[in-house]
Amino acid sequence: MTTEAATALERDFARCALRLGDDALVLAQRLCTWITRAPTLEEDLALSNIALDLVGHARALLSLSGRLDGTGRTEDELAQLRDGREFRNTLLAELPNGDFAVTIARQLAFSHYARLHYADLAGCAEPELAALAGRAAREVDYHRLHADGWTVRLGLGTEESRRRMQDGLDLVWPYTAELFAADEAVARLDAAGAGPAPARVLERWRRATAETVSRAGLRLPEPGWSADGGREGLHSEEFGALLAEMQSTYRQYPGGAW
Amino acid sequence: MTGAKQATHDPPPGGTTGAERDEADLLTRFEALLAAGESVEPHDWVPDGYRRMLVRQIAQHAHSEIIGMQPEGAWLTRAPTLYRKAVLLAKVQDEAGHGLYLYSAAETLGVDRADLLDALHRGRQHSSAAFDHPALTWADTGAIAWLTDGAAVVNQAPLCRTSYGPYARAMRRVCQEEGFHVQQGYDQLLALSRGTPEQKRMAQDAVDRWWLPAVALMFGPPDTGGAAAGVGAATSRQAMAWGVKRHTNDELRQRFVDLCVPQARELGLTLPDPAIRWNPERGHHDFGPVDWACYRRALPGDSHCARRRIAHRAAAHREGAWVREAAEAYARRSPEAAGEPAA
Ligand SMILES: [Fe+2]
Ligand SMILES: [Fe+2]
C-alpha cells in the first residue's frame, strides 16, 4: 500500500482527530454497558441513541486520522489493533459508569465540551474535519439536552437523587481539565490559526455547565486536584479490561471478514 | 361511548333483564364490527375474554421485545467492527422502541406498564421462551436477527391487520423495522460464512442452536392436526374468531420454514433438521416434528438462562428505582417540566 508522505500539518490534524475519535469511541463503549440496565425503557433507548451517535463520530474521526497520518490504517485497525498505550482518550471518557448520576455527570461535562469544541472546529483548515465537526456539533447538542435535563431532575428530585447527583459531580469534575489541555500538535495548529484549541471554549464551557448545575440546586467542587495522562496513553487499570473486551472478537479471528 | 349512543335509539329498559339485553346488544354490535372487518378501538365495548386475550398477547409480545434485547445487548461491547457495533446498537435501540409501542398499546386496554413489568419480574407473565437461550458467540447476534426476528416478521405481518386498532398500528411500525433486522442478520451471517473456516464454523454453530427455538417457540404449540393439537387448537380458534389471529401457528411455522430453506442455501449454511425436503405434492417443505415434550417438561421461564434473563431485568429495575422516583418527584413539583422530554 502506498500513501503519499503526510505533511506536518496533516499529521497534526491526524492527532487532533485521533484524540476526539478515541474519546467518542471509549465513551460509547462505556454507555453500551448501560443498555438493558437503564432505569427506564426510555433511557435504554436514549443511551443507545447517544452511544450510536458517538460510534458514528468515532468511525469518521478514526478513518480520517488513518488517512491523514500517512499510515492508511482503517477505523477498525485503529480501534481494534492498537494497545492501550496508543489510545489518546481522556481519563474522563474511560471513567467507570458508577451509578446513573455518575454517568449523567460524565455526560454533562463531555457533551457541553463536545458541543462547543465541535462547533469551533467546524471552522478549521482541514475541510473534512470541519465538515464532520459541524454535523457532530448538532448531534451532541441533543446529548447536552439529555444531560442537562437529568442533572436538573436528579438535583431537584428526591433527597437521595440530590445526594447522588452531587456525589457524581464531585467525582467527575476533577477529570474535566484534561479535555481542555493541548498537546504539541494542538498547540502548533492553534498557533498557525489552522485548528482551534479546546482551551478556547473553556470559559464558555464553565459558564454553561455552571448554569445547569445551579439550576439543579447543586454546586461544582472547588478547583483543586485534577487528573491527566490519558492523552499521553497513561490510562487507568480498568481501561485495559475495556480494551480487552472491545477488541476480543476482532483479534480472535485474524484475517476475518465481518 | 357505545352505550350512550344506543340510549338515543332505544328507550332505556328497566330491571336486570334490561342489563342483560344491553350486554347482548353490545355483543351483537361487537361481532358486527368484526364481521365488517373494521378495527376495534379503545372506546368500543369488548367482551372480557377479548380484552384478557389481547392484554396477555400484547404484554407477552412487549416483554419479548425487552428481554430479547439481552442476548444481543451482551455483544455490543464486543462487536468486531465499528460498523457492526453501530448496526447492533441501532437494532437494540429499535427493540426498546418496540417494547414502548407495545406497552402503550396494552395501556389502551386499561392496564399499566408498571404492573405489566411487575408481573414479568415476579414470573406471573412471561416473554417468549425463544430468548431464554444464551448468545454464546458473535455469530449468535446474526442468527438471532435472521431466525428469531425472521420468525417474528412471519408472525407479525398478519398482526398488522389484527382486529384491535392500537395493536395493529403498533405492529405496522414494528414490522417495518423487523424486516430490516432480518436483512442485517442475513448479511452478517453471509460475511461470516464467506470468511475464514473458523468464522464459518461459528456461523453454522449459531444457526444450529437458534433454529429450533425459532421454529418451535416463536410460533407456539401445534394447533392443527387433531388430537396432537390439544389446547393450542381451542385457543387459536377463539383468537381467529375474534380476528386477533389470522392464521394458525402451524400455517405460520410452515411459511417460516419455506422462507428459510432457500436463504440457508444462499448462505452456504445448513439448517439442523435432516427431515427438511421439498414436497411437490404439498407445495411446501416437509420438516421434522418438533419435540414438544422437551419444552413442555420445563415450566415457563424455568431454565438457567430464563432465570438469568429475569434476574437481570429485575435488578436493573430495582437499581433504577431511585431515578424513577426522582423523576416523578420532580414532575410533581414542577408541572411545567412535565412536558419536557424525559430523554
Ligand atoms: Fe422487535
Ligand atoms: Fe427485531
Side-chain angles (χ1 to χ4, degrees), chain B residues 223-282:
Chain B
D223 53 357
T224 55
V231 249
T235 316
S236 267
R237 261 199 309 279
Q238 182 61 75
M240 297 220 276
W242 276 335
V244 174
K245 268 174 85 95
R246 299 287 181 193
H247 306 276
T248 63
N249 296 348
D250 291 325
E251 276 166 354
L252 294 170
R253 196 182 339 267
Q254 179 70 61
R255 192 176 292 177
F256 175 66
V257 173
D258 288 340
L259 275 171
C260 287
V261 171
Q263 289 180 12
R265 205 175 301 126
E266 289 158 27
L267 280 171
L269 299 171
T270 47
L271 297 172
D273 178 351
I276 289 179
R277 66 177 52 82
W278 177 249
N279 180 330
E281 278 154 50
R282 293 200 307 122

Side-chain angles (χ1 to χ4, degrees), chain B residues 61 65 94-95 98-99 149 152 156 174 178 181:
Chain B
H61 191 164
E65 297 284 355
D94 284 349
E95 308 301 4
H98 299 172
D149 289 53
Q156 292 166 11
V174 168
E178 297 295 4
H181 298 167

Side-chain angles (χ1 to χ4, degrees), chain A residues 57-180:
Chain A
H57 303 161
R59 295 184 63 199
L61 288 161
L62 294 183
S63 311
L64 179 63
S65 180
R67 279 201 302 281
L68 291 176
D69 72 6
T71 62
R73 282 174 295 179
T74 64
E75 60 188 60
D76 290 312
E77 285 165 344
L78 282 167
Q80 310 286 21
L81 294 178
R82 273 181 304 156
D83 290 329
R85 294 283 283 116
E86 299 167 274
F87 271 77
R88 291 291 173 261
N89 57 285
T90 52
L91 297 181
L92 176 97
E94 73 194 56
L95 268 184
N97 284 341
D99 66 7
F100 189 67
V102 170
T103 289
I104 291 299
R106 193 181 61 196
Q107 284 302 109
L108 181 73
F110 185 81
S111 62
H112 275 271
Y113 149 81
R115 179 180 72 109
L116 294 166
H117 185 42
Y118 279 133
D120 219 22
L121 263 187
C124 79
E126 210 303 306
E128 215 177 317
L129 181 59
L132 77 88
R135 284 195 303 276
R138 282 191 296 279
E139 287 178 354
V140 294
D141 198 38
Y142 161 78
H143 308 180
R144 178 193 63 84
L145 276 174
H146 174 262
D148 280 351
W150 273 112
T151 302
V152 171
R153 229 170 275 131
L154 296 180
L156 301 179
T158 62
E159 204 36 60
E160 181 181 9
S161 70
R162 179 194 160 73
R163 175 179 57 74
R164 286 183 187 249
M165 191 64 226
Q166 185 61 59
D167 289 349
L169 292 171
D170 292 346
L171 181 110
V172 163
W173 237 248
Y175 290 86
T176 58
E178 197 182 7
L179 291 168
F180 301 96

